[in-house]
Amino acid sequence: MTLFSPKTAVVEREGWDGEAKGLAHLVDGQLDTRHGAILYLEEVCVSFDGFKALNHLNLDIGVGELRCIIGPNGAGKTTMMDVITGKTRPDSGAVFFGQTIDLTRYREAEIAQLGIGRKFQKPTVFEAMTVFENLQLALAGPRSVWASLRARLTGEQRDRIEALLLRVRLQEQRHRVAGLLSHGQKQWLEIGMLLAQDPRLLLLDEPVAGMTDAETEKTAELLLSLKGHHSLMVVEHDMAFVEAIAERVTVLAEGSVLAEGSLAQVQADERVIEVYLGR
Amino acid sequence: MQSELMSQPYSMRLWAWLGPQLGPLLLAALLLLGVALPLAHALLPADHPWFISAYTLTLAGKILCYAVVALALDLVWGYTGLLSLGHGLFFALGGYGMGMYLMRQGDAELPAFMTFLDWQTLPWFWWGSEHFLWALVLIVMVPALVAGIFGWLAFRSRIKGVYFSIITQALTFAAMLLFFRNETGFGGNNGFTDFKTLLGFGIAEPATRAVLFLLSLALLVLAWLGARWLVNSPFGRILTAVRDAESRLMFCGYSPLYFKLTIWVLSAVLCALAGALYVPQVGIINPSEMSPANSIEMVIWVALGGRGTLIGPMLGAGLVNGAKSWFTVAFPEYWLFFLGFVFIAATLFLPHGVVGWWRRLWRKSA
Ligand SMILES: Nc1ncnc2c1ncn2[C@@H]1O[C@H](COP(=O)(O)OP(=O)(O)O)[C@@H](O)[C@H]1O
Ligand SMILES: [Mg+2]
């Protein structure tokens, strides 16, 4: 244990209760959303070998908001999520969680502990484990090696997992190995794992890709039920799905915001029509 | 169901019963050998038909040590997905730790090789090595430290996959070159040999050999039980999560670094303990234990037996080394060809090793 970096060791020992308060001495401050926004991106630029994947991107997400992000392939949607979750460092610009937490200063695991959950574009679950074990692993709680060696599942945790299984409609599959689930079920399991972390902000990259219509509809219901309790940012191509869930839509193109407003508004926007049809 | 089973031929019923019992079977075989071999060596007269020679007992003890190494390697490779091509280094470091103690058991103030080099005083890193307890500390702490520092640097920089394997190989190769030099202070290319006593007991005496064999067996059984507990704990599940979807794990809020480092250091220490028991049994340790080929052979044990299972690596170590001891007597020049062939065949036809093959057979018939 002595080899571990003191900074993160503090996070691990403090345990994690789903609120930012345990990290108060570590981060700039607690999650401060007094100004009504939970996430700010300001003038964010990312380039890969000279290619500007994000080009002076400005965006903010309100507390409890469900925001949809649309845009053609290569617009930079996934890259934006990489920047928020610490996978990619921006070349310039600011990324703030609440008023005070500068996300560019943290690593992936720390950002997840701060309360940002992420679903990947390609569904990613732990295939060798059962559905139940996947959720158990994601459950909010201490993340240290030591804790994992002593961990016992409490009754309370078991109840939480049962509730999550119900929510993502996987009660019947609880003891199945996750690798054997259908594509749509894996997507749901991954969403369930995000919820198990009890994050303040959820980032969902194409959550209904590869789902049947019925599954898509159920997913829309699920996301709508989360609105208000969590803030959500959903990247999606499926317009019917976006129409079902979105109140506010942001259109990304060539690494920056092209338009923002209701779905009807952005669909009527000349420039939006151009980027979608012009390709 | 029951009556159906009874009407089957005896061999089928035996198979139905044995199929899922690979673990208990292996444990029973180990314990049986553990009682029989040392007793037959230490108690029977040399002309008794059931007498076990020192050669056979040493060979069996050696294979037990190798089985511990295979288990340790499987924890990092099979369960965590970190393919090490340098585990021979940790094995050798443990062996050198024990060797330092054994070299100090004579009457002379300096080990013989130092006298030959005309050295007047003991180098500082040899201080205290005549005490068994200090030697134990060295056996555990030196490999732990080497593994800890190396792992910390590699995992922090997120070195993975083939790159990780290559630098582990480079590490053991560099250490071998270092130990080959006389000036390094570990006996150069001759290493240590000609041991006399261990804790006052003659190293070649039947009773000492029997005890060393039993200790190797105990280490293997304990390592096995410990590994079983570990891989079935939430910690073990996180290891497989590192192997299968490391980025998912990070975005769940876990730092893979600490989990990798813990299992990596643990694995290194396990190898070192095996090496420390190996050296007094075979009576020699030299830098060739660190040769890249040795570490690669260890990987073959695990691959052949079945990585990601606990029984597989132990079986693999037994099968390969059993075959090796026969080959090196019968056709020594063909051993490496055979080993290469086994590795290719296992990769092509037994992707989950012997254990995977056994389990598939059993599942098909069941
Ligand atoms: N790691 C990377 N290296 C090089 N180019 C990248 C990398 N990641 C993304 N890109 C490029 O950045 C652009 C934006 O990609 P992405 O964010 O995945 O788009 P979207 O998710 O909107 O389809 C694409 O042109 C892609 O090829
Ligand atoms: Mg994308």
Side-chain angles (χ1 to χ4, degrees), chain A residues 3-5 8 12 85 108-109 112-113 118 120 124 126 128-129 133 136-137 143 145 148-149 190 194 197, chain B residues 152 158 229-230 234-235 237-238 240-241 243-245 247-255 258-259 261-262:
Chain A
L3 282 169
F4 302 165
S5 99
T8 330
E12 307 219 304
T85 54
E108 296 95 324
Q113 291 194 16
R118 172 180 190 180
F120 292 97
T124 314
F126 304 120
M129 294 180 214
E133 288 167 343
Q136 188 185 343
L137 200 143
R143 255 62 168 136
V145 170
S148 76
L149 285 168
E190 199 178 359
L194 289 199
Q197 281 171 254
Chain B
W152 171 255
R158 303 198 175 167
W229 175 77
L230 208 62
F235 174 78
R237 257 180 264 139
I238 293 171
T240 62
R243 179 192 67 193
D244 294 342
S247 55
R248 172 77 273 159
L249 190 70
M250 285 196 289
F251 292 115
C252 281
Y254 292 88
S255 289
Y258 306 126
F259 291 89
L261 200 57
T262 305

Side-chain angles (χ1 to χ4, degrees), chain B residues 88-110:
Chain B
L89 171 62
F90 305 125
F91 183 76
L93 287 178
Y96 268 99
M98 178 61 93
M100 285 166 82
Y101 166 78
L102 293 171
M103 292 300 274
R104 300 290 304 282
Q105 298 312 297
D107 300 324
E109 193 167 324
L110 292 185

Side-chain angles (χ1 to χ4, degrees), chain A residues 48 51 53 72-79 121:
Chain A
F48 297 112
F51 172 79
N73 267 331
K77 305 180 296 290
T78 300
T79 305
Q121 185 164 342

